[in-house]
RNA sequence: GGUCCCUUCGUCUAACGGUUAGGACGAAAGAUUCUCAGUCUUUAGAUAGGGGUUCGAUUCCCCUAGGGACUACCA
């Protein structure tokens, strides 16, 4: 039997890490089994679904290079794949269940439902949820309600006795007493749209889904879905509930913990390959040793039985590390291309880059490559090159065990050395060793002479190595900055 | 409150019932005769607790504790 799985998000917000992890696991499982991966849009909540969220779903999967075999845009034999376009279908199936005695019309107002709920809560009743008020309405009562013009919902008649078991690939059998299953949940809402329960069962069946891989938060409704399958007389698919993705505090990952939307990660400059690789490792591992996998490899090597049962914390630091590794693997050309949008956004470069600037850029990329965790790091690293900010305070020139006077002295002597050496046609490497000697001569730490130079050239205490900085800036600009710095220091010393 | 699920270093995880309990991130230390990174080397760091079963439990069973999810005309 061909494996057929689906990712079925509801477009009610930006795609987040948890969702994408589910998508990835489904996708990898399908690929590894030579099966099909289906995308289905569950937009049955008309209030919360949005066009923007739908677009974000497409953008996200596109960015990650996840292609679906059937679904919106590409179509397929079981379409449409957007639930709002299947509107009539659910109505038909809901009514079928009413006709077969597995479901019933309910006329309860939301107000009454609220009342029931608050009362149950107040009494700490063991019975929480709908009180099945309309379950046994007589035909006369029903007609009376209809006459009043109340638009009913359709509820599933959940058995009040017995128990229901479903099988989970990872968890084994999970059994729940029927009395503990959600009491008669709504299948078809007042607006004629189905709830998740009805829509997903109907569609999974119609679309021939063989395995349902979804987050563990769905475990409690597993038995409910099986009851639905049985009511229809259908065979339920295999379940595989994926461990949750948590934040550092052990709670379900949310915005509190940092970025969670894939769009955010993209904008900060995470590479899709890195994100995919890392995300595939939360809740799954290959052998505990190997961690680097390309998409193609994951499509081959992914093994559903190696998925973990316990929830995993999303480690932003490890993602950073992965991303840095992937950046270092990029060619200089590719990296430069990836970096340009960030430099443009910062206002450092324009759309058309002069050949002069292009050369600078080429150099910059080489220097920056080992230092980047995310692409947007380039801005801070390059700010000295494209702007010339004021030094915030003269004290910045002063390294440990130095003072303003010695720092001034160090910088002016450094400047003299630079002028002389460079006039003699020496390389900057030679200049560096002479500066190092200067430190010895002055009886100070090497850092004591490099710090004033660093601050003079970059206005910051953290920067690229001085040789790179000098080469990037060029002789003229470098000298200009040193002179400016000397002026500032001189005032302080006098 | 009720139901269900989970439990190996701080984090992600590996370990046919037999290993000095392994790896990675993070942390700490050192090296790379300039900062920050990067790279390399090293160190610390875990089987939640208690009972069984067994010659032998991280591994199987039970209890306790802790954590989580669900409990909508949201998915």
């Amino acid at each position: 039997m061909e494996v057929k799985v689906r990712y079925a998000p509801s477009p009610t917000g930006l795609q987040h890490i948890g969702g994408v992890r589910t998508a990835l696991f489904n996708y990898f499982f399908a690929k590894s089994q030579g099966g099909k991966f289906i995308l289905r849009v569950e937009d049955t909540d008309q209030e919360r679904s949005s066009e923007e969220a739908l677009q974000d779903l497409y953008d996200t999967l596109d960015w990650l290079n996840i292609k679906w075999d059937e679904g919106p845009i590409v179509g397929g034999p079981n379409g449409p794949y957007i639930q709002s376009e299947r509107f009539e279908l659910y109505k038909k199936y809901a009514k079928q269940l009413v006709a077969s005695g597995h479901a019933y019309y309910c006329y309860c107002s939301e107000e009454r439902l609220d009342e029931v709920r608050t009362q149950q809560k107040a009494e700490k009743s063991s019975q929480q949820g709908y009180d099945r008020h309309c379950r046994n309405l007589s035909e006369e009562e029903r007609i009376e309600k209809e006459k009043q013009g109340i638009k009913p919902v359709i509820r599933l008649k959940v058995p009040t006795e017995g128990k229901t078991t479903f099988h989970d690939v990872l968890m084994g059998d999970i059994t729940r007493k029927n009395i503990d299953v959600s009491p008669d949940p709504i299948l078809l809402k007042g607006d004629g749209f189905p709830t998740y329960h009805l829509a997903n069962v109907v569609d999974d069946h119609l679309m021939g889904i063989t395995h349902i891989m979804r987050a563990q938060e769905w475990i409690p409704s597993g038995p409910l879905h099986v009851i639905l399958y049985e009511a229809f007389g259908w065979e339920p698919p295999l379940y595989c509930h994926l461990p949750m993705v948590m934040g550092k505090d052990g709670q379900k990952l949310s915005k509190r913990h940092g970025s969670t939307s894939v769009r955010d990660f993209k904008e900060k400059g995470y590479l899709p390959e890195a994100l995919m690789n890392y995300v595939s490792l939360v809740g799954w591992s290959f052998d505990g040793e190997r961690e680097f996998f390309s998409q193609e490899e994951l499509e081959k090597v992914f093994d559903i039985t190696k998925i973990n049962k316990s929830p995993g914390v999303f480690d932003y630091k490890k993602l950073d590390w992965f991303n840095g590794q992937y950046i270092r693997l990029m060619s200089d050309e590719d990296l430069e291309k990836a970096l340009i949008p960030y430099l443009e956004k910062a206002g450092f470069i324009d759309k058309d880059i002069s050949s002069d600037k292009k050369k600078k850029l080429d150099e910059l990329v080489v220097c920056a490559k080992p230092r980047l965790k995310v692409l947007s790091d380039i801005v801070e690293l390059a700010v000295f090159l494209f702007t010339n900010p004021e030094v915030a305070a003269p004290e910045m020139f002063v390294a440990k065990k130095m003072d303003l006077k010695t720092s001034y002295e160090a910088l002016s002597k450094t400047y003299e050395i630079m002028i002389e050496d460079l006039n003699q046609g020496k390389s900057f490497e030679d200049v560096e060793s002479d500066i190092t000697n200067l430190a010895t001569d002055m009886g100070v730490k090497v850092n004591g002479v490099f710090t004033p130079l660093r601050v003079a050239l970059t206005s910051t205490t953290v920067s690229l190595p001085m040789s790179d900085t000098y080469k990037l800036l060029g002789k003229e600009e470098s000298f200009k900055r040193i002179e400016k710095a000397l002026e500032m220091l001189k005032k302080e010393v006098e």
Side-chain angles (χ1 to χ4, degrees):
Chain A
M1 184 180 61
E2 185 185 47
V3 165
K4 226 171 165 187
V5 296
R6 52 37 170 206
Y7 175 51
S10 65
T12 55
L14 300 179
Q15 284 298 301
H16 57 99
I17 291 299
V20 160
R21 208 275 310 256
T22 301
L24 251 26
F25 279 25
N26 272 287
Y27 172 83
F28 291 140
F29 176 59
K31 291 292 159 191
S32 70
Q33 298 296 308
K36 289 230 158 49
F37 173 68
I38 294 176
L39 180 66
R40 186 173 72 222
V41 176
E42 307 218 330
D43 60 344
T44 55
D45 184 339
Q46 292 294 289
E47 295 275 309
R48 298 197 307 146
S49 294
S50 78
E51 215 27 65
E52 191 206 356
L54 184 61
Q55 190 55 49
D56 180 71
L57 167 66
Y58 297 150
D59 291 347
T60 295
L61 293 180
D62 185 52
W63 184 64
L64 287 168
N65 191 31
I66 299 298
K67 307 214 186 318
W68 51 98
D69 300 302
E70 292 176 30
I73 303 169
V74 304
N78 304 298
Y81 294 89
I82 295 182
Q83 289 186 330
S84 58
E85 294 171 14
R86 301 163 72 75
F87 185 75
E88 290 301 328
L89 192 71
Y90 307 111
K91 217 177 254 186
K92 183 185 125 197
Y93 280 100
K95 282 183 177 163
Q96 181 187 317
L97 285 184
V98 174
S100 67
H102 292 285
Y104 60 93
Y105 289 102
C106 167
Y107 299 87
C108 293
S109 66
E110 298 204 37
E111 290 72 41
R112 196 186 95 78
L113 261 25
D114 279 344
E115 254 169 60
V116 170
R117 233 187 325 264
T118 47
Q119 195 176 344
Q120 284 169 339
K121 247 197 177 144
E123 290 170 1
K124 295 198 171 167
S125 163
S126 63
Q127 190 59 54
Q128 303 262 335
Y130 184 53
D131 60 359
R132 297 181 154 116
H133 179 260
C134 295
R135 182 161 168 149
N136 297 309
L137 244 42
S138 68
E139 194 54 22
E140 294 78 50
E141 289 170 309
R142 213 180 71 74
I143 289 168
E144 178 56 30
K145 297 276 191 189
E146 286 286 344
K147 269 190 193 155
Q148 290 171 24
I150 302 174
K151 264 203 281 176
V153 301
I154 293 179
R155 287 184 183 271
L156 177 67
K157 207 179 272 182
V158 174
T160 51
E161 284 172 2
K163 46 191 171 180
T164 301
T165 299
F166 74 93
H167 185 76
D168 186 282
V169 174
L170 300 172
M171 232 70 79
D173 283 344
I174 295 176
T175 303
R176 249 180 131 175
K177 293 205 266 310
N178 288 336
I179 196 70
D180 292 327
V181 172
S182 177
D184 297 5
I186 291 173
L187 298 178
L188 203 70
K189 299 185 270 188
D191 61 4
F193 276 89
T195 57
Y196 170 79
H197 305 298
L198 208 222
N200 107 76
V201 166
V202 167
D203 285 348
D204 284 340
H205 175 72
L206 261 28
M207 293 176 182
I209 301 301
T210 59
H211 300 253
I212 294 183
M213 297 172 81
R214 40 133 80 147
Q216 276 176 6
E217 58 185 324
W218 290 108
I219 288 179
S221 44
L224 170 66
H225 296 161
V226 170
I227 290 171
L228 253 176
Y229 278 101
E230 284 169 354
F232 280 118
W234 298 335
E235 185 71 23
L238 258 33
Y239 287 92
C240 176
H241 286 95
L242 274 14
M244 308 275 296
V245 182
M246 315 299 237
K248 264 243 171 299
D249 56 1
Q251 310 269 64
K252 204 165 144 181
L253 188 68
S254 76
K255 286 180 207 83
R256 287 204 316 285
H257 303 104
S259 295
T260 53
S261 74
V262 174
R263 185 196 279 182
D264 280 351
F265 285 103
K266 181 187 171 192
E267 280 170 4
K268 277 189 190 153
Y270 288 88
L271 304 175
E273 297 84 2
L275 189 68
M276 174 181 286
N277 195 155
Y278 174 65
V279 167
S280 71
L281 254 27
V282 13
W284 178 82
S285 74
F286 177 66
D287 61 1
E289 298 278 326
R290 188 170 161 204
E291 299 196 295
F292 275 85
F293 299 93
S294 68
Q295 178 173 359
E296 293 68 36
E297 287 167 332
L298 286 166
E299 288 175 11
K300 286 199 183 74
V301 103
F302 187 80
D303 181 351
I304 195 173
T305 64
K306 286 180 175 168
I307 296 172
N308 262 42
K309 287 196 265 194
S310 42
V313 174
F314 188 82
D315 187 343
Y316 288 86
K317 286 242 178 81
K318 186 146 188 181
L319 205 217
D320 281 348
W321 177 78
F322 262 106
N323 206 57
Q325 296 295 310
Y326 273 91
I327 284 176
R328 255 140 256 145
L329 249 32
M330 287 173 94
S331 71
D332 294 342
E333 296 73 45
D334 287 347
L335 182 56
E336 183 172 317
K337 261 184 238 154
L339 254 19
I340 283 174
Y342 293 91
L343 295 170
E344 277 175 4
K345 207 175 160 209
F348 292 167
I349 57 174
D350 302 319
K351 279 270 177 274
D352 10 56
I353 305 166
S354 64
S355 64
D356 217 36
K357 253 191 175 171
K358 172 79 168 70
K359 257 183 80 183
K360 291 266 179 243
L361 224 56
D362 291 347
E363 290 175 49
L364 175 67
V365 167
V366 174
C367 301
K369 196 175 186 177
R371 273 159 241 270
L372 299 174
K373 278 198 167 69
V374 292
L375 298 176
S376 59
D377 285 345
I378 191 65
V379 173
E380 201 179 342
L381 224 51
V383 66
F384 83 95
L385 183 57
F386 299 103
T387 68
N388 185 7
E390 291 293 318
V391 174
E395 285 70 32
M396 285 180 69
F397 290 100
V398 182
K400 261 187 209 147
K401 301 215 173 137
M402 297 285 284
D403 54 34
L404 281 164
K405 194 161 169 289
T406 51
S407 296
Y408 172 67
E409 194 185 329
L411 185 57
S412 41
K413 283 192 178 156
T414 298
Y415 190 32
E416 283 168 24
I417 291 170
M418 282 174 74
I419 293 171
E420 191 173 336
D421 283 2
L422 293 167
N423 278 346
Q424 286 176 20
K426 287 190 186 174
S427 72
F428 200 86
E429 281 66 32
D430 293 328
V431 176
E432 273 184 334
S433 74
D434 284 340
I435 296 174
T436 309
N437 291 337
L438 169 66
T440 318
D441 294 345
M442 286 181 69
V444 300
K445 288 241 164 107
V446 180
N447 196 21
V449 298
F450 273 98
T451 295
L453 179 60
R454 181 186 320 286
V455 176
L457 294 181
T458 68
S459 302
T460 61
T461 52
V462 176
S463 77
L464 295 173
M466 285 303 93
S467 60
D468 294 330
T469 305
Y470 171 80
K471 282 173 199 160
L472 247 13
L473 242 25
K475 182 177 174 185
E476 193 185 332
E477 179 66 18
S478 296
F479 281 15
K480 224 169 82 187
R481 291 188 183 191
I482 294 172
E483 279 162 25
K484 195 173 146 198
L486 284 170
E487 230 172 89
M488 185 174 185
L489 272 170
K490 196 174 178 188
K491 267 189 225 153
E492 292 295 321
V493 173
E494 279 170 355

